[in-house]
Amino acid sequence: MAEKAMTVEEGTRQFHVGDLAVYPAHGVGRIEAIESREINGKKQDFYIMKILENGMVIMIPTDNVENVGLRDVIGKQDISKVYAVMTNKTGTQQDNQTWNRRYRDYMEKIKSGSLYDVAAVFRDLFVLKLTKDLSFGERKLLDTAQGLLLKELSLAKETDEKSMLTEIEKLFSA
């Protein structure tokens, strides 16, 4: 029986060199290469992805894309849905949890890879910041959520991050 060439599973999103993709908790990156490596005697294909924000390089097994949550950058048509999450005051988490419990919840959402979850974290912390001082950990989470949001939304909207931040802040002053 002839050996079949290694391919990405049917139905799994295939990325190509030059594609932009989102890696959960790290943000938007560009697929720089697709390489084969031998690991434990087994040949494995990897996406070599460079994160735009900090230049970090990540190797993602092509057959593990679904598990790690690698996905496309949102489309223009989804921007309004992200804005809806940020302006939805009923979704705002109440301050009845301890800060470390909130921190764990927010980290889970950021690691989920969903821009909607990241938008909810940003909204909750941004609103909380208006009423009280955030802990050091919460400030870092707010910065992380803001960075992830700005990068992806500015790419989807084809604008710069500074303009995007102004637009987002207007959502909260309305």
Side-chain angles (χ1 to χ4, degrees), residues 20-22 28 52 71-83 115-116 148-161 164 167:
L20 291 175
V22 179
V28 180
L52 300 181
R71 63 173 176 78
D72 287 305
V73 172
I74 66 162
K76 271 188 177 175
Q77 70 279 5
D78 295 320
I79 294 172
S80 61
K81 295 175 194 167
V82 174
Y83 285 5
L115 192 61
Y116 303 112
L148 293 169
L149 264 176
L150 288 179
K151 181 62 78 182
E152 189 165 354
L153 287 173
S154 64
L155 283 167
K157 199 161 185 175
E158 299 173 1
T159 187
D160 63 286
E161 290 182 36
M164 199 72 247
E167 195 171 315

Side-chain angles (χ1 to χ4, degrees), residues 10-156:
E10 192 70 31
T12 300
R13 167 68 165 96
Q14 288 188 29
F15 293 93
H16 304 282
V17 173
D19 286 353
L20 291 175
V22 179
Y23 190 88
H26 292 287
V28 180
R30 183 176 314 281
I31 304 296
E32 299 282 317
I34 301 171
E35 297 179 0
S36 292
R37 304 261 171 103
E38 193 168 312
I39 308 222
N40 295 332
K42 182 182 173 205
K43 186 179 174 192
Q44 178 117 27
D45 292 337
F46 292 91
Y47 292 122
I48 308 301
M49 180 179 187
K50 188 173 189 176
I51 302 298
L52 300 181
E53 190 70 26
N54 57 20
M56 178 177 23
V57 176
I58 301 172
M59 286 178 56
I60 305 148
T62 57
D63 60 0
N64 204 22
V65 167
E66 300 272 328
N67 292 340
V68 299
L70 191 67
R71 63 173 176 78
D72 287 305
V73 172
I74 66 162
K76 271 188 177 175
Q77 70 279 5
D78 295 320
I79 294 172
S80 61
K81 295 175 194 167
V82 174
Y83 285 5
V85 169
M86 286 191 281
T87 57
N88 179 5
K89 304 293 189 243
T90 59
T92 306
Q93 210 172 81
Q94 298 302 311
D95 192 25
N96 56 6
Q97 292 181 308
T98 61
W99 72 266
N100 58 344
R101 179 69 201 154
R102 270 195 317 267
Y103 182 87
R104 278 197 307 272
D105 289 347
Y106 292 150
M107 275 308 296
E108 281 180 32
K109 286 183 176 181
I110 286 174
K111 288 179 179 177
S112 76
S114 163
L115 192 61
Y116 303 112
D117 284 349
V118 172
V121 169
F122 177 81
R123 174 202 60 213
D124 291 353
L125 289 171
F126 192 90
V127 169
L128 190 59
K129 183 179 86 167
L130 300 175
T131 60
K132 69 179 208 124
D133 287 336
L134 299 179
S135 70
F136 176 76
E138 288 171 323
R139 283 194 313 270
K140 281 192 59 88
L141 277 178
L142 178 60
D143 290 345
T144 298
Q146 178 176 307
L148 293 169
L149 264 176
L150 288 179
K151 181 62 78 182
E152 189 165 354
L153 287 173
S154 64
L155 283 167

Side-chain angles (χ1 to χ4, degrees), residues 1-9 36 43 45:
M1 189 163 141
E3 190 175 290
K4 188 178 173 190
M6 190 178 246
T7 60
V8 179
E9 284 180 40
S36 292
K43 186 179 174 192
D45 292 337

